[in-house]
Amino acid sequence: MKNDLEMQFSSVLLLAHFCFVGAQTDYAPYFYDNGPNSNNGNMALLNLSEDTPKGTQIYVLNGTDPEGQPVKYGMTSEPGSKEYFRVHPKSGTVTLIEELDREAQDEIEVFVSISDGLNKVAEKVSVFVMDANDERPQFPQNMPSIVDVPENTTSGSSIYKVQAVDRDAGSGGSVTYFLQSSEPSTKFAIDHHSGVLRIKPGETLDYEKSRTHFITVVAKDGGGIYKGKQQVMSSSATLTINVIDAQDTPPVFVGTPYFGYVYEVSSPGSEIFTVFAKDGDMDNPNPIIYSIESGADGVFAINKTSGCITLKVYPAELKREIFNIKVKASEVSPEGKRLDFAVTTVTIRVVDLNNHPPTFFGENGPQNVFELTMYEHPPEGEFLRGLKITVNDSDQGSNAKFHLRLVGPGRMLRVVPQTVLNEAQVTVLVEDSAAMDFEKSQFLTFKLLAIEIDTPERFSATADIIIHLLDTNDNAPKFSSDFYIARIPENSPGGSSVVSVTATDPDSGLWGVVKYSIYGSGADLFLIQPDSGIIYTQPWASLDAEVKSKYNFYVKAEDSDGKYSLAEVFVTIMDLNDHSPAFNENSLEKTMVIGAPVKIEAVDEDAEEPNNVIEYSIMKSDPDDIFDMDADTGEIKLKPYIKSMDIVQNISNHKDCTWSVVVQAKDRGSPSFSTTTVVKIDITEATQLKGPLTSFLLKCRENPMQFLGLVSGVIIIMLFVTVFISTVIYVRNVKSNKILPSRRIIRRKRKPRRQDDFQQPFREECCGGKFRNEDLEIPTADNINRNNNVKGCSHRAPPSPPNAPDMPPPLPSHYRHGDREWTVPTVSASVASKTKKRSHRGKDNPVNTALVSELKLRLEQKNMANRY
């Protein structure tokens, strides 16, 4: 009604306007009608997807004014309805300002208007909201979560109908159903379209095997476009299928197999054995009654309610030794009707004769092979839990007594009990855990023997026990050698291969993977590949044998659990001939006495022979036949025929008797290097000496062995003198040491006294100083000969490593070559570092202690005599 009044009012205004304008005509603006498929016009029949994002420009209102006046656009909605769009008054752009939901509202009506300032035209248009796949299938809230199904429901029967609703239209609203089961093989199936849940054909429910089944029903829609992409949506619900027990399971005997015995002392009515059965339908059990089907031969009876089998005759009347009696257990309904039944065998033995050997039983009856899988190195004393072995001898008394013995590799296992009567559970204990090693053998085979003891037949039985071992990480990597020795040239570039170390870990899997690393003070110039064990020099390393020729460090092989071992690597830098000999500048001018040589010295800085071995030679002299030169020592001497200055002056025209000799020093390396220099030699004649010693020395020049014999004689005489003096001192010390150790020494407080001016045969200060000096000079090496010939050698290198050394401890990080001072001991001593130690004279030498006490006593007595 209100809209009609507004329209009538608008018409009146327009009529009044026309009358006022009079003859002047003004036409109203209008929208273009471009059809529903256009994105501009009057917005009639516009289709808009519900997943259009908020803020999207969805349309452009487009119109014109006949007079060409500018137009403005407007948009309104029905009063009380929600506004979904906004229009720009000048451009006519329409923007979505609210989210769309087709399931809530699938059609939107709005009023669009166009105005030129005088005239305004409004039109009512409808916008259709198109569906997008934005809704999931929904299960009803009252859907049950538990479904009870009797266990005797037939295969293929329908047990429940699942229904889910998807509010989308088209394919997005169609629903199909699937099962998602947590069980390996589900017993259920669902119709994909109707949602009917059924028991699979060929499948049945069994309450005794599984009382509950859990299945998940998944509902999927047919898929559709959502925000420009294909989307399939689904939801799920879980159903619990409870199986209801039914009377469909026969009775079950408990404790089978059954064995009974008839003894010689038995009498009619004696209880032989009692069987027991229970209904397989445990939730609703029926009573059980027992009966004998066959095998009793009329000599045994059974109580129908208790299952107790009794003897009806005396044992002497029994015709057989073994009776296999078939016992039947039947269910009885409340009405007294017999239902399902079960039959078992009861073996009854008459124990009169020893005619049965021992027999081993497993869980399923007699068995002679038992297998077990376990980890290596089980704890000692632990029993093998996976072995369930029972041994039985069906005889009675002494006929059923037998020994158990386990035979196999080593003493790894022990069997208990060792003596059995009739029947026992066999237990196998671990005795030697270390021998059960996966790396030595992955499976172990033992023989279990059962041998009768007190029977003439000595029946026996055997069973095999096979143990499959599983690996553990019980081994550390082990190097192929405790040490590695490598040699590398000193000019090798950085990154050169030095040596390859190899360690193996016998463990399997990741435990057997070995990683390598190096450490130690000598490892700074080297690196190792963690996987291959190849040691290289550092890329920046520069090796020089003259600076340092030997390196040693440790290489570590470690497995994934941190178990490791060490090996030492000794690297020797091989010297190359890269230095030329250099002459000593002090030896280039020499004065030669006729008959005596002069020595020329050159030094080659190479580290090893033959690169630093020098050969000397005379390259040039004027004249050539004056000098001879020793190629090894560098000694230059005159030719043997030159014995006086007269001969020298006759050979040369030089008045000053000075020669310039060109000398060459050449090393023996490859390639060989040489150096030449000019040596000036001034020849003179020695002053003549007189006397027998001089004559003897001159003769020794002609025969050196004579001089060597003289020196050897002098050394022998000195050695005998030294032995004699040592013997005298030793005898004297032995006599002076005959002092009672309990002799009392009176000590008194000393008073200041003047310095004694007489000579004392013993001085305390002297003795103390002597002992202090000895404290400072005691070397660390063990001097077995107790001599004083140990001298220090500050730059002696340590000896080269032995052919097969033990693992030394790691070197300290501050160690550098040449830092330690070494001592060279006598023949019986060893090389050791020279350090200071405290004197052990008080503890190690009781003779010295007694001597000091005697000296102090005599000194105090002398002081007391002077005082009085």
Side-chain angles (χ1 to χ4, degrees), residues 233-547:
M233 304 192 73
S234 64
S235 58
S236 61
T238 301
L239 288 177
T240 301
I241 309 297
N242 278 343
V243 182
I244 306 302
D245 190 21
Q247 285 294 336
D248 61 345
T249 304
V252 178
F253 283 96
V254 179
T256 58
Y258 294 144
F259 296 94
Y261 303 97
V262 176
Y263 301 98
E264 294 180 349
V265 296
S266 300
S267 60
S270 299
E271 295 182 359
I272 305 302
F273 196 82
T274 300
V275 298
F276 175 72
K278 61 181 180 180
D279 190 355
D281 302 306
M282 292 179 288
D283 279 6
N284 188 21
N286 287 324
I288 304 294
I289 61 174
Y290 304 92
S291 60
I292 294 178
E293 290 286 295
S294 62
D297 293 349
V299 296
F300 296 97
I302 190 170
N303 187 297
K304 67 176 183 179
T305 56
S306 65
C308 180
I309 300 175
T310 57
L311 182 65
K312 297 173 64 177
V313 297
Y314 286 99
E317 300 177 23
L318 300 178
K319 305 287 184 168
R320 287 187 295 161
E321 186 178 342
I322 298 177
F323 293 85
N324 292 316
I325 301 175
K326 300 291 185 181
V327 176
K328 180 179 180 180
S330 304
E331 295 182 25
V332 180
S333 66
E335 294 80 14
K337 182 180 179 180
R338 295 194 177 189
L339 303 175
D340 289 340
F341 64 90
V343 177
T344 188
T345 300
V346 179
T347 301
I348 298 178
R349 297 179 181 272
V350 180
V351 288
D352 289 331
L353 302 175
N354 182 33
N355 55 355
H356 293 92
T359 305
F360 292 100
F361 292 89
E363 294 181 320
N364 300 318
Q367 187 173 336
N368 57 6
V369 177
F370 300 87
E371 294 191 31
L372 172 66
T373 300
M374 60 183 295
Y375 285 101
E376 64 177 341
H377 305 307
E380 293 185 357
E382 182 176 281
F383 64 90
L384 305 187
R385 302 176 184 274
L387 290 178
K388 296 182 179 179
I389 306 174
T390 302
V391 62
N392 174 273
D393 191 330
S394 300
D395 296 321
Q396 297 297 319
S398 61
N399 294 333
K401 188 176 182 180
F402 53 91
H403 273 320
L404 283 179
R405 186 159 59 96
L406 192 64
V407 180
R411 296 183 178 180
M412 303 179 190
L413 303 177
R414 178 169 58 93
V415 64
V416 291
Q418 295 183 353
T419 302
V420 179
L421 180 62
N422 287 119
E423 183 175 308
Q425 185 77 27
V426 179
T427 301
V428 180
L429 302 177
V430 178
E431 272 202 333
D432 189 357
S433 175
M436 303 182 71
D437 194 349
F438 175 85
E439 285 72 28
K440 295 180 181 178
S441 179
Q442 297 183 11
F443 66 91
L444 304 171
T445 302
F446 297 85
K447 287 284 187 182
L448 183 59
L449 305 179
I451 305 174
E452 291 182 351
I453 301 173
D454 298 325
T455 62
E457 295 85 1
R458 303 282 288 180
F459 290 136
S460 64
T462 62
D464 292 330
I465 299 178
I466 302 174
I467 299 176
H468 299 271
L469 294 179
L470 301 177
D471 194 21
T472 60
N473 189 18
D474 60 330
N475 292 282
K478 185 176 181 181
F479 284 95
S480 58
S481 176
D482 290 337
F483 66 94
Y484 296 85
I485 298 176
R487 295 174 65 87
I488 182 171
E490 66 178 349
N491 63 347
S492 300
S496 298
S497 175
V498 178
V499 67
S500 177
V501 299
T502 303
T504 56
D505 192 330
D507 292 320
S508 60
L510 293 177
W511 295 325
V513 178
V514 179
K515 296 293 184 181
Y516 300 89
S517 61
I518 59 176
Y519 69 94
S521 60
D524 298 339
L525 298 180
F526 304 91
L527 54 87
I528 190 170
Q529 285 287 344
D531 297 322
S532 64
I534 300 176
I535 299 176
Y536 299 90
T537 59
Q538 293 281 5
W540 46 263
S542 176
L543 304 178
D544 192 347
E546 287 76 38
V547 176

Side-chain angles (χ1 to χ4, degrees), residues 26-186:
D26 187 5
Y27 294 98
Y30 60 90
F31 285 104
Y32 293 117
D33 187 3
N34 295 326
N37 296 326
S38 176
N39 61 356
N40 64 81
N42 61 352
M43 204 173 168
L45 303 178
L46 174 65
N47 294 328
L48 189 61
S49 178
E50 66 174 325
D51 61 351
T52 303
K54 181 179 177 181
T56 304
Q57 296 181 359
I58 61 172
Y59 200 80
V60 178
L61 293 178
N62 192 7
T64 185
D65 182 72
E67 290 81 18
Q69 295 294 326
V71 295
K72 291 186 177 181
Y73 302 97
M75 180 180 293
T76 59
S77 301
E78 291 285 350
S81 62
K82 188 176 182 179
E83 292 187 1
Y84 288 90
F85 312 103
R86 180 182 295 121
V87 64
H88 192 276
K90 292 183 179 181
S91 65
T93 302
V94 179
T95 304
L96 180 65
I97 62 175
E98 293 291 341
E99 299 286 347
L100 300 177
D101 187 359
R102 187 201 67 83
E103 288 73 27
Q105 184 177 358
D106 59 356
E107 182 181 352
I108 302 173
E109 292 183 347
V110 295
F111 293 96
V112 295
S113 63
I114 183 172
S115 173
D116 61 359
L118 296 177
N119 301 309
K120 181 177 181 181
V121 177
E123 295 181 6
K124 184 177 182 181
V125 297
S126 296
V127 177
F128 298 100
V129 181
M130 307 304 294
D131 186 49
N133 191 24
D134 61 341
E135 297 288 337
R136 296 180 181 273
Q138 298 292 329
F139 290 95
Q141 295 183 353
N142 58 352
M143 176 179 173
S145 60
I146 300 176
V147 178
D148 294 330
V149 181
E151 68 171 330
N152 56 1
T153 303
T154 59
S155 175
S157 299
S158 172
I159 59 175
Y160 187 72
K161 183 176 182 180
V162 181
Q163 189 172 6
V165 178
D166 192 321
R167 297 195 300 166
D168 289 323
S171 62
S174 62
V175 180
T176 54
Y177 303 92
F178 304 90
L179 287 185
Q180 180 180 340
S181 175
S182 59
E183 300 177 2
S185 58
T186 180

Side-chain angles (χ1 to χ4, degrees), residues 722 777 779 782-791 824-829:
T722 303
E777 294 298 325
D782 295 334
N783 191 349
I784 300 176
N785 293 336
R786 299 294 189 268
N787 55 33
N788 298 320
N789 296 332
V790 179
K791 296 182 180 180
V824 181
T826 59
V827 177
S828 58

